[in-house]
Amino acid sequence: MDISDPTPTPANNNHVFCPPEARRYVLVSAILASSMGFIDGSVVSLAMPVIRADLGASLVDAQWISNGYMLFLSALVLLGGAAGDVFGVRNIFATGIVLFMITSAACALAVDAEMLIVMRAAQGIGAALMVPGSLALIAKSYPNATRGKAIGQWAAFSSLTTAMGPFVGGMVLSFGAEWMWRLIFAINVPIGLVALAMLLKKVPQDRPSSKRKLDITGAVLATAGLGLMAWGLTAFGLPAEARAVSPWLWITVGAAIFAGFIVWEKWARAPMVKLELFASRAFTGANLYTLILFFAFNAVLFFLPMTVVSGWGAREWEASLLFLPLSLFIAGLSSYSGRLSDAIGPRWPLTVGAAIVGMSYVGLALTMPLMMLWQVTFPILLLKGLGMAIVVSPVSAAVMRATPEEDTGLASGINNALARAAGLMAVASLGAVAGVVFANVAGTAAPGAEFGAYVTTPLDAGAEALRVAATNSAFSAIAAISAAMCFVAAAVAWVTQPSWKRKEKS
């Protein structure tokens, strides 16, 4: 399962609407739909250099091809979960699949970067409706006695697709024509059609479980605030003559709107975010930890493939293997780290896990100039995979433990929305850092070159060496900042999270 999966914890009830013979169709459709959402981000990161070459996209365009999707997913995922309660989970889940399919097809047919950015944003809206519905539909379809087994099957198959998706996508990108990146979006159409057919033909419609109003105002304020702040951070990477206004103005206006969102949530009748939850020090600390750690995690996840593909000349399938240790470690060790957190409390696992990830990023920052993918970089990423595997279950458990039972679903949604928002801000801000560092190192000696892009006009040997050095320096800066963020996250966990001895817990 994706480590930043924004699906809320299902309610603990035994009311089901789905007959036993239809439940397998619920499970398969949920796995297919979740797989589309989980795989999307990592495969797009792999494909970014060839997308930029094919569409003539700049670094800022590349950032917003990613950020358009993450903005609407992070801002609207809680609204999508609430919509399932109001209109029926199956209806909202199916609507999300349809929107995700249509926008995926439009992404595959994009004629320029601007069209792809807009369609990725619309795809994020579809994901915000689709992804929360996958687990919620399983929870409403299976009784307590078999629900845990069904969720385990969903998680296992989702982990498998998350691990294999980037590798298959990398193979397609490595050995196909330049336009083959379009297939990573087009493949969502047949997958979505199968999932949709199962839902509509085999699964009955569930009854809405809530009559409360949706927090549309809150969703608009959250989207506008996050979007303007992210754009302001991105604008630091633009040349001064290309900026209509100061980036600080965008950031200030965005921050003011987001502050308005917080005020609105305090007084709204049906808020997306229950602010009273943040009165708990442990809950606030766990969410701050998530925001900081996943800022670092998403930054490296987005910019590392561009570095090794465009700078080192690695094939996409080789770059895809860099994701493999992360998926395997999380699949193999998360249950053990979860049990450890139950035994001794979340403080030690969260602190140690974040510190290990930070050390791996220090290793990346120091070894980029070596350009030794398998001898150095891959082993360092094994360390990162270990650290994240230690963290994933305990951070979810820490959020749940600090939350009243009736609010666990909402609390899980808030935590995972913050993980997505962290990725949005990481790509926006550190893209500007990458661009500035690259320009300072390359200067004018590598004309037309830009961080993370293929060079369309061949450079002489000296200019090409300088371009590669500038690429390495830019990513080293990103890795160093990410390492510092991990160590800050470790400190936050140590200060805010509880710890206990085994006998005290029992």
Side-chain angles (χ1 to χ4, degrees):
M1 184 170 57
D2 180 24
I3 60 179
S4 54
D5 165 29
T7 48
T9 301
N12 185 24
N13 62 71
N14 201 39
H15 175 73
V16 296
F17 74 96
C18 189
E21 63 272 13
R23 288 172 191 161
R24 64 180 182 272
Y25 298 105
V26 169
L27 185 59
V28 174
S29 63
I31 290 169
L32 291 175
S34 298
S35 298
M36 290 192 294
F38 292 167
I39 294 170
D40 190 86
S42 56
V43 180
V44 170
S45 295
L46 283 174
M48 198 59 72
V50 71
I51 291 174
R52 292 176 64 179
D54 194 30
L55 299 183
S58 67
L59 177 58
V60 170
D61 292 331
Q63 290 171 261
W64 279 90
I65 290 169
S66 172
N67 278 351
Y69 178 83
M70 286 195 290
L71 169 62
F72 285 91
L73 177 54
S74 61
L76 301 181
V77 67
L78 290 173
L79 188 70
D85 294 335
V86 175
F87 298 107
V89 173
R90 194 199 72 158
N91 290 343
I92 295 301
F93 186 38
T95 300
I97 292 174
V98 170
L99 183 56
F100 198 86
M101 284 193 304
I102 293 172
T103 53
S104 293
C107 287
L109 298 173
V111 296
D112 54 31
E114 289 74 18
M115 179 179 176
L116 184 56
I117 291 169
V118 172
M119 289 301 102
R120 284 281 286 164
Q123 195 182 35
I125 298 174
L129 299 176
M130 178 181 71
V131 175
S134 60
L135 189 54
L137 193 64
I138 294 173
K140 292 190 71 173
S141 300
Y142 285 81
N144 285 342
T146 57
R147 183 180 298 150
K149 179 181 178 181
I151 292 175
Q153 291 173 325
W154 172 82
F157 280 102
S158 296
S159 295
L160 179 62
T161 55
T162 301
M164 294 305 299
F167 178 71
V168 174
M171 294 291 289
V172 170
L173 294 168
S174 295
F175 301 106
E178 190 175 67
W179 57 269
M180 295 286 279
W181 65 267
R182 299 176 184 274
L183 293 180
I184 68 177
F185 294 109
I187 192 63
N188 289 331
V189 177
I191 294 175
L193 285 173
V194 172
L196 194 64
M198 289 183 180
L199 276 177
L200 299 183
K201 291 184 178 181
K202 301 293 185 179
V203 180
Q205 184 170 323
D206 61 307
R207 292 182 179 181
S209 58
S210 172
K211 294 183 179 180
R212 68 190 180 95
K213 293 183 178 180
L214 295 178
D215 187 12
I216 303 297
T217 301
V220 171
L221 290 173
T223 305
L226 287 172
L228 289 175
M229 286 190 287
W231 173 249
L233 293 169
T234 305
F236 281 111
L238 293 172
E241 61 272 13
R243 301 173 188 166
V245 297
S246 168
W248 288 111
L249 179 60
W250 294 114
I251 294 172
T252 302
V253 173
I257 293 174
F258 197 79
F261 162 72
I262 295 174
V263 172
W264 170 262
E265 293 301 287
K266 182 175 178 61
W267 300 107
R269 291 185 177 181
M272 287 197 305
V273 178
K274 194 172 181 180
L275 296 181
E276 302 93 281
L277 295 175
F278 289 92
S280 165
R281 176 177 177 176
F283 180 83
T284 301
N287 282 286
L288 181 60
Y289 176 93
T290 299
L291 189 67
I292 297 170
L293 183 68
F294 278 86
F295 181 101
F297 171 81
N298 282 285
V300 173
L301 190 70
F302 182 77
F303 291 106
L304 181 59
M306 279 198 282
T307 300
V308 300
V309 171
S310 69
W312 298 9
R315 305 298 296 271
E316 286 86 355
W317 72 265
E318 293 178 298
S320 73
L321 292 179
L322 300 178
F323 295 108
L324 198 56
L326 179 69
S327 298
L328 294 179
F329 271 116
I330 289 174
L333 298 179
S334 287
S335 62
Y336 296 101
S337 64
R339 288 198 294 270
L340 178 65
S341 178
D342 288 339
I344 66 173
R347 177 187 293 170
W348 276 103
L350 293 183
T351 302
V352 172
I356 291 174
V357 177
M359 288 187 288
S360 75
Y361 290 165
V362 170
L364 288 178
L366 295 175
T367 61
M368 278 291 109
L370 299 178
M371 296 175 56
M372 300 173 71
L373 187 66
W374 302 115
Q375 303 95 321
V376 177
T377 304
F378 187 77
I380 289 174
L381 292 175
L382 291 175
L383 190 63
K384 169 189 172 177
L386 174 62
M388 291 304 299
I390 294 173
V391 160
V392 172
S393 291
V395 74
S396 297
V399 171
M400 296 299 100
R401 191 177 287 114
T403 306
E405 185 176 350
E406 65 271 15
D407 293 322
T408 54
L410 178 60
S412 177
I414 291 171
N415 183 254
N416 287 290
L418 283 172
R420 299 286 186 176
L424 168 71
M425 294 303 172
V427 172
S429 59
L430 296 189
V433 171
V436 169
V437 173
F438 184 96
N440 286 341
V441 175
T444 58
E450 190 178 36
F451 174 79
Y454 290 128
V455 177
T456 54
T457 303
L459 303 173
D460 60 51
E464 175 61 16
L466 191 59
R467 181 189 76 86
V468 173
T471 299
N472 291 334
S473 295
F475 183 79
S476 291
I478 291 171
I481 293 171
S482 298
M485 298 289 280
C486 289
F487 295 133
V488 171
V492 168
W494 185 259
V495 170
T496 65
Q497 297 306 302
S499 180
W500 48 74
K501 295 179 180 180
R502 185 183 298 269
K503 61 180 181 180
E504 293 173 344
K505 176 62 179 174
S506 59

